[in-house]
């Protein structure tokens, strides 16, 4: 199970140095119509998808499918997307930003873990079970179509490749940079800005690595944040060691890896936001935990992993993550800005 810690450290380091944030990707798409980071997510998905089905064909892993709980995924997706905007980060983002010293992320993370735990095995579990009664048996697109998953892998790779080529062809804006203080590998790791596509490739490779490592521990899945986060609360409350698995070590490793990266880049600093922001962090975290538990995963479990295996749950969740993020962005940023502009004009 300690390999989960290693995998998490690698992931946390890469996420922090690459500033790879799902909320940032969604917000850029909604507010500024910028697609670079959003496209980077799909690069990571495509890379992981190739790796997953190679591992399955080599009989190293065996994908197990559950029914598609469509109503739970839709409702949970909207709630999670709304919550992550309020929290200022998605599930993974709160873990790695906590490693940078952001007090608001600690608060959001606490809310996220509590919300997920209450929904998975606490007072909100009856609601979860009731909504999960709405399901269809087919869980993946290739099951429904009766085709090889490699057909979909090829289609995804081609589409992502075309958009990536078009993005890389765009003229590059010159950005002023400070004189480097480090050199060699230290400069590359801790000082030089990472291109989102480079970060995406590394995230995709780490996501592939997670599958055989997790399987070796008896946990039959890849990267996942929600259940491990809830399990930490379960362990702390009950003391039962059965809550501690590969995934718990993974999320703890994300925190450690981010801390190492932030310290190396001189970016670690405890920062306390105002009371209003702390309230949003907590309420957003609780909503994220509740929504992710309902949807069966967050922007990693659903948005990165389940999409890579072409499950309906993953792709439907992404759509409703976007919807929830748009609603929250409209209410907290777009609408107040429009009102302020209207008042200034009048």
């Amino acid at each position: 199970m300690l390999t989960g810690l290693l995998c998490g450290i690698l992931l946390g380091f890469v996420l922090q140095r690459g500033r790879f944030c799902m909320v940032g990707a969604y917000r850029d798409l909604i507010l500024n119509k910028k697609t670079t980071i959003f496209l980077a997510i799909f690069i990571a998905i495509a890379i992981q998808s190739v790796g997953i089905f190679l591992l399955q064909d080599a009989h190293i892993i065996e994908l197990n499918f559950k029914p598609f709980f469509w109503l739970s995924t839709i409702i949970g997706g909207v709630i999670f997307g709304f919550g992550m905007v309020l929290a200022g980060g998605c599930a993974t983002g709160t873990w790695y930003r906590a490693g940078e010293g952001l007090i608001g992320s600690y608060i959001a993370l606490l809310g996220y873990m509590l919300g997920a735990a209450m929904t998975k095995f606490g007072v909100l579990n009856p609601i979860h079970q009731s909504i999960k009664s709405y399901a269809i048996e087919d869980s993946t697109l290739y099951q429904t179509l009766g085709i090889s998953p490699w057909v979909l892998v090829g289609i995804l790779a081609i589409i992502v490749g075309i958009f990536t080529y078009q993005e890389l062809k765009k003229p590059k804006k010159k950005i002023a940079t400070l004189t480097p203080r480090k050199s060699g590998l230290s400069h590359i790791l801790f000082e030089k800005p990472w291109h989102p596509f480079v970060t995406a490739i590394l995230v995709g490779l780490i996501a592939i690595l997670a599958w055989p490592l997790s399987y070796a521990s008896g946990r039959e899945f890849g990267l996942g944040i929600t259940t491990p986060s809830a399990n930490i609360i379960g362990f702390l409350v009950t003391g039962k060691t059965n809550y501690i698995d590969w995934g718990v070590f993974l999320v703890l490793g994300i925190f450690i890896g981010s801390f190492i990266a932030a310290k190396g880049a001189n970016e670690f600093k405890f920062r306390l936001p105002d009371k209003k922001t702390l309230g949003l962090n907590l309420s957003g975290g609780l909503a994220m935990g509740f929504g992710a538990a309902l949807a069966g995963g967050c922007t990693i479990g659903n948005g990165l992993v389940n999409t890579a295996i072409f499950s309906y749950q993953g792709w439907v969740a992404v759509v409703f993550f976007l919807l929830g993020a748009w609603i929250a962005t409209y209410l907290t940023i777009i609408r107040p800005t429009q009102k302020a502009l209207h008042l200034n004009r009048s």
Side-chain angles (χ1 to χ4, degrees):
M1 288 198 294
L2 288 177
T3 61
L5 189 68
L6 174 61
C7 192
I9 290 172
L10 290 173
L11 183 60
F13 189 97
V14 168
L15 291 174
Q16 198 284 331
R17 290 299 303 124
R19 316 307 302 172
F20 200 75
C21 177
M22 302 291 189
V23 172
Y26 285 32
R27 190 181 293 147
D28 279 354
L29 185 66
I30 295 167
L31 286 176
N32 307 313
K33 305 299 185 289
K34 292 183 178 179
T35 59
T36 303
I37 303 178
F38 194 70
L39 175 58
I41 295 172
F42 283 88
I43 292 173
I45 292 170
I47 290 171
Q48 184 189 189
S49 188
V50 172
I52 288 172
F53 290 107
L54 283 175
L55 288 170
Q56 179 166 253
D57 287 352
H59 304 291
I60 296 172
I61 67 171
E62 184 64 39
L63 298 177
N64 297 310
F65 299 107
K66 299 177 181 178
F68 171 39
F69 304 106
W70 59 271
L71 184 59
S72 182
T73 302
I74 290 171
I75 295 174
V78 173
I79 294 172
F80 179 88
F82 189 95
M84 70 179 183
V85 173
L86 297 186
C90 63
T92 319
T94 55
W95 272 105
Y96 92 71
R97 283 179 171 156
E100 296 176 346
L102 274 67
I103 304 300
S105 292
Y106 284 96
I107 300 299
L109 186 57
L110 175 62
Y112 171 65
M113 291 192 293
L114 283 173
M118 288 189 294
T119 309
K120 282 186 168 294
F121 36 76
V123 294
L124 298 178
N125 185 254
I127 299 174
H128 185 200
Q129 295 304 320
S130 175
I131 299 176
K132 281 182 68 176
S133 61
Y134 297 89
I136 59 175
E137 287 303 314
D138 279 3
S139 60
T140 67
L141 184 58
Y142 58 85
Q143 283 178 313
T144 300
L145 297 176
I147 59 175
S148 166
W150 284 106
V151 175
L152 300 179
V153 172
I155 293 172
L156 177 63
I158 291 170
I159 293 173
V160 171
I162 291 171
F163 279 100
T164 301
Y165 176 73
Q166 291 177 342
E167 181 68 25
L168 292 174
K169 278 183 62 180
K170 293 179 181 178
K172 301 295 184 293
K173 295 181 180 179
K174 291 185 177 181
I175 302 174
T177 57
L178 298 173
T179 303
R181 295 183 179 181
K182 304 177 187 291
S183 61
L185 184 61
S186 180
H187 170 66
I188 295 171
L189 290 178
F190 296 108
E191 193 173 40
K192 184 179 180 180
W194 291 17
H195 192 285
F197 293 174
V198 173
T199 306
I201 292 170
L202 294 174
V203 170
L205 294 174
I206 294 169
I208 294 171
L209 177 65
W211 283 91
L213 295 180
S214 180
Y215 264 68
S217 73
R219 176 182 173 273
E220 297 182 349
F221 199 66
L223 296 177
I225 309 297
T226 303
T227 299
S229 299
N231 283 348
I232 292 175
I233 296 295
F235 170 72
L236 292 175
V237 171
T238 67
K240 294 180 179 178
T241 56
N242 62 300
Y243 282 109
I244 303 299
D245 63 0
W246 189 92
V248 169
F249 283 98
L250 172 75
V251 294
L252 294 176
I254 292 172
F255 176 86
I256 296 170
S258 174
F259 173 77
I260 294 170
K263 288 291 287 185
N266 295 317
E267 293 174 353
F268 179 86
K269 182 181 179 180
F270 286 115
R271 283 154 283 183
L272 180 65
D274 57 63
K275 292 181 180 179
K276 180 181 178 181
T277 302
L278 284 174
L280 291 174
N281 292 149
L282 179 59
S283 58
L286 287 166
M288 277 203 305
F290 178 59
L294 285 183
C298 62
T299 42
I300 292 293
N302 271 332
L304 184 68
V305 178
N306 277 322
T307 48
I309 59 176
F310 302 101
S311 78
Y312 288 116
Q313 179 178 301
W315 290 96
V316 170
V318 167
V319 172
F320 287 95
F321 288 162
L322 270 170
L323 177 59
W326 181 87
I327 294 170
T329 302
Y330 176 79
L331 293 176
T332 61
I333 299 175
I334 298 174
R335 188 178 178 186
T337 302
Q338 290 174 340
K339 283 187 175 181
L341 289 173
H342 178 73
L343 288 173
N344 289 336
R345 289 171 182 171
S346 59

